[in-house]
């Protein structure tokens, strides 16, 4: 299929209308009957039989005679039977001046280094391994409760309660009596008995210095942190082993990141991670993955990756929301711009650019995405050129012309010269608002071909693979049709620079 330079006049006018409408896609693949174009040696210049006339904005509508389009303020375009030049490789031909008008941009597939960076979200939580349980080591009574409450942040050694422990008082009296006998072996045995009852060396030394038993003991917190529970009340009788308080340390915190199950293979224990929080703009918190939980969240199809972060100054508080970048080792890969990749759900395509101004689709197998670059695992070779901007227009024309994509593994694309009977695809750009099973909600720009204004609507999603690798907030260019079931997204690609 050929787009002629001397027909750019009305093609450019379409472009102006489409751009004014917010960047809605259009395609004006047509042939020119002018003698000058025929002299250039390009096919489809009027030497073949006209099959029908059509409006490029509504390519499925066919007319048996020329005239003005009933849909747009333009003339109908002829479709010729001699689709391509003899011996030419199948593809879409675009005149150089038309390429400039359509804004086609070509990039070269090249070898480069691609860091494995996965961007997800997470929530700060307490480090559940840093917990102190404060208990009564002997039965007694609560004589005093210090001014503490759940949620208070305390330092190590802060007093919690004073306990009157009669059993401890009796044991200390016996110890002092044995010590006065002056027998070191008996004194050592009595001292060890006090330790086994739960008395600290500091308390025992205090009893030895004063020579008086201390029946009242102050219970302190062994670590700094936040009081989670406080069950002590003044005057309450306690049994041995009764929990008085629970303190959760804040020296380190956990960041529970939600990783899509489709990206689970990119995460490993020990992997570095970097977190940013809106509360601390311009600051990054480094940590590492310490665990990958064994269960997957059924509602969101994500698995939880646990990251440990140092919490200097206690600034990171449980419940805070964070953006997480999971890093990995960079490796060499064949790279193309991510915007050049067209995902249809069943397969992934790029538009190859030949040196003679021809373009044809090629199937590829892709890997990771990072920094606006996509790894190509198969289907391309270094040095080959792909269309990085405007590939949707060429792909639409190739589809309408029945040009099949070159399969992975090489071989020229098959040239189906018969016009394909398939639904019309409409292209526009938009922002992903929500991804759900079987549907995707997009805030899109106007679609002049359908008379649609800019709006937010939900499209059917026949294959979840179409949105694989995309997330809420991504700016995309997408193609959709309108089967009886309603508007349905058929392909989607990222928009660069958004």
């Amino acid at each position: 299929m050929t787009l002629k330079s001397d027909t750019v006049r009305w093609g450019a006018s379409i472009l102006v209308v489409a751009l004014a409408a917010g960047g809605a896609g259009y395609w004006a693949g047509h042939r020119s009957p002018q003698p000058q174009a025929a002299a250039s040696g390009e096919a489809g210049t009027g030497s073949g039989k006209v099959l029908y006339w059509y409006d490029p904005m509504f390519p499925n509508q066919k007319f048996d005679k020329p005239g003005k389009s009933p849909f747009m303020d333009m003339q109908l375009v002829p479709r010729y039977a001699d689709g391509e030049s003899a011996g030419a490789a199948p593809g879409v031909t675009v005149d150089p001046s038309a390429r400039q008008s359509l804004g086609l941009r070509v990039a070269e597939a090249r070898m480069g280094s691609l860091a494995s960076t996965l961007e997800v979200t997470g929530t700060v939580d307490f480090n559940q391994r840093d917990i102190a349980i404060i208990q009564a080591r002997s039965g007694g009574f609560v004589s005093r409760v210090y001014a503490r409450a759940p949620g208070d942040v305390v330092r190590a050694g802060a007093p919690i309660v004073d306990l009157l422990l009669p059993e401890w008082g009796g044991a200390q009296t016996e110890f002092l009596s044995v010590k006065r006998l002056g027998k070191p072996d008996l004194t050592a045995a009595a001292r060890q008995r006090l330790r086994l009852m739960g008395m600290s060396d500091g308390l025992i030394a205090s009893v030895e210095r004063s020579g008086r038993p201390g029946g009242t003991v102050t219970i302190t917190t062994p670590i700094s942190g936040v009081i989670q529970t406080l069950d002590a009340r003044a005057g309450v009788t306690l049994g041995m082993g009764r929990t008085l308080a629970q303190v959760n340390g804040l020296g380190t915190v956990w960041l529970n990141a939600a990783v899509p199950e489709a990206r689970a293979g990119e995460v490993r224990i020990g992997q570095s991670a970097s977190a940013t929080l809106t509360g601390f703009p311009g600051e990054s918190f480094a940590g590492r993955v310490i665990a990958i939980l064994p269960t997957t969240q059924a509602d969101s199809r994500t698995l939880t990756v646990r990251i440990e972060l140092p919490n200097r100054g206690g600034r990171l508080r449980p419940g805070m929301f964070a953006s997480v970048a999971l890093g990995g080792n960079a490796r060499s890969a064949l790279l193309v711009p991510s915007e050049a990749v067209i995902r249809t759900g069943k397969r992934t395509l790029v538009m190859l650019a030949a040196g003679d101004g021809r373009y044809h689709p090629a199937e590829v197998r892709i890997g990771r995405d990072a920094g606006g670059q996509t790894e190509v695992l198969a289907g391309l070779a270094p040095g080959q050129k792909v269309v990085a901007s405007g590939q949707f227009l060429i792909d639409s024309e190739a589809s309408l012309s029945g040009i099949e994509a070159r399969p992975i593994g090489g071989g020229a694309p098959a040239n189906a010269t018969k016009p394909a009977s398939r639904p019309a695809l409409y292209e526009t750009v938009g922002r992903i608002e929500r991804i759900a099973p079987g549907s995707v909600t997009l805030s899109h720009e106007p679609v002049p071909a359908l008379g649609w204004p800019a709006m937010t609507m939900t499209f059917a999603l026949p294959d979840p693979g179409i949105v694989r690798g995309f997330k809420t907030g991504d700016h995309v260019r997408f193609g959709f049709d309108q089967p009886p079931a309603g508007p349905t997204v058929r392909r989607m690609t990222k928009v660069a620079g958004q």
Side-chain angles (χ1 to χ4, degrees):
M1 178 56 56
T2 305
L3 183 64
K4 298 306 171 184
S5 60
D6 49 343
T7 58
V8 171
R9 177 178 58 79
W10 64 264
S13 66
I14 299 175
L15 178 62
V16 173
V17 173
L19 291 176
Y26 78 97
W27 181 244
H30 64 282
R31 308 180 184 279
S32 171
Q34 300 299 325
Q36 179 182 357
S40 68
E42 295 181 0
T45 58
S47 59
K49 178 183 177 182
V50 176
L51 298 176
Y52 56 87
W53 282 262
Y54 70 102
D55 182 337
M57 296 295 289
F58 296 86
N60 272 10
Q61 298 291 329
K62 302 175 183 179
F63 302 90
D64 57 2
K65 59 183 179 180
K68 192 172 183 180
S69 169
F71 309 109
M72 303 291 290
D73 186 17
M74 65 179 68
Q75 295 297 316
L76 297 174
V77 180
R79 173 81 71 182
Y80 293 92
D82 56 348
E84 300 293 345
S85 304
V92 177
T93 301
V94 183
D95 184 87
S97 58
R99 290 199 295 268
Q100 183 177 1
S101 299
L102 295 172
L104 297 186
R105 181 165 51 85
V106 174
E108 182 178 326
R110 57 177 180 82
M111 297 300 297
S113 180
L114 186 68
S116 177
T117 301
L118 176 60
E119 295 184 356
V120 294
T121 58
T123 305
V124 178
D125 195 5
F126 286 107
N127 183 346
Q128 299 298 329
R129 297 174 183 171
D130 188 12
I131 295 178
I133 304 297
I134 302 172
Q135 293 180 324
R137 297 300 181 90
S138 177
F141 310 94
V142 178
S143 60
R144 178 186 178 187
V145 178
Y146 290 83
R148 310 293 183 200
D152 286 353
V153 177
V154 295
R155 293 186 176 276
I160 302 297
V161 295
D162 286 345
L163 299 181
L164 178 61
L165 304 177
E167 187 178 353
W168 279 21
Q172 291 170 4
T173 301
E174 292 178 6
F175 168 71
L176 294 174
S177 299
V178 172
K179 189 173 184 293
R180 282 193 288 268
L181 295 176
K183 296 183 178 181
D185 53 343
L186 294 179
T187 301
R191 183 182 292 107
Q192 181 63 21
R193 178 169 177 261
L194 296 183
R195 291 194 184 99
L196 295 176
M197 293 180 69
M199 300 183 203
S200 65
D201 289 337
L203 177 60
I204 296 173
S206 176
V207 171
E208 286 190 80
R209 286 194 305 270
S210 64
R212 296 192 305 272
T216 301
V217 179
T218 300
I219 305 298
T220 61
T221 172
I223 64 172
S224 299
V226 59
I227 298 176
Q228 295 282 39
T229 61
L230 182 62
D231 298 327
R233 296 292 182 269
V236 172
T237 301
L238 301 176
M240 182 185 303
R242 170 78 176 270
T243 297
L244 301 173
Q246 176 178 316
V247 178
N248 215 129
L250 290 174
T252 59
V253 293
W254 285 349
L255 180 58
N256 295 322
V259 176
E261 64 174 329
R263 309 290 296 274
E266 301 179 29
V267 184
R268 66 183 185 280
I269 294 177
Q271 186 173 353
S272 63
S274 176
T276 57
L277 295 87
T278 55
F280 308 102
E283 190 171 356
S284 178
F285 298 84
R288 63 183 183 88
V289 176
I290 61 171
I292 302 173
L293 302 194
T295 57
T296 300
Q297 301 297 322
D299 53 349
S300 61
R301 306 312 306 168
T302 59
L303 53 92
T304 301
V305 174
R306 182 175 292 162
I307 302 164
E308 187 172 88
L309 297 176
N311 189 20
R312 299 178 182 86
R315 295 190 300 160
L316 299 180
R317 302 175 183 273
M320 284 184 167
F321 184 81
S323 297
V324 187
L326 295 168
N329 296 327
R331 71 180 186 213
S332 180
L334 180 62
L335 305 177
V336 297
S338 298
E339 58 183 322
V341 178
I342 302 174
R343 294 174 173 88
T344 67
K346 294 182 179 179
R347 60 182 181 175
T348 304
L349 303 174
V350 296
M351 298 303 301
L352 288 177
D356 58 356
R358 288 187 165 282
Y359 305 88
H360 60 268
E363 185 177 356
V364 294
R365 185 166 67 250
I366 62 174
R368 300 169 298 159
D369 289 288
Q373 298 289 311
T374 296
E375 177 185 20
V376 179
L377 302 176
L380 275 183
Q384 288 187 297
K385 295 183 178 180
V386 298
V387 180
S389 177
Q391 71 274 25
F392 258 94
L393 307 177
I394 301 176
D395 182 52
S396 297
E397 181 65 17
S399 299
L400 290 170
S401 302
I403 299 174
E404 296 183 3
R406 187 187 71 181
I408 295 177
N415 184 17
T417 58
K418 295 182 180 179
S421 176
R422 57 183 72 185
L425 280 183
Y426 306 95
E427 289 90 21
T428 186
V429 295
R431 179 180 184 273
I432 297 178
E433 301 294 343
R434 182 173 179 267
I435 298 175
S439 67
V440 58
T441 301
L442 296 146
S443 294
H444 64 78
E445 295 184 355
V447 185
L450 295 175
W452 288 2
M455 59 183 168
T456 300
M457 63 181 298
T458 299
F459 294 80
L461 200 61
D463 190 326
I466 295 177
V467 294
R468 185 173 295 122
F470 293 90
K471 63 182 183 300
T472 300
D474 281 350
H475 290 263
V476 298
R477 178 177 291 277
F478 63 98
F480 68 94
D481 59 10
Q482 295 199 87
T488 302
V489 171
R490 299 299 180 182
R491 55 191 174 208
M492 185 177 292
T493 186
K494 292 182 179 179
V495 175
Q498 298 291 334

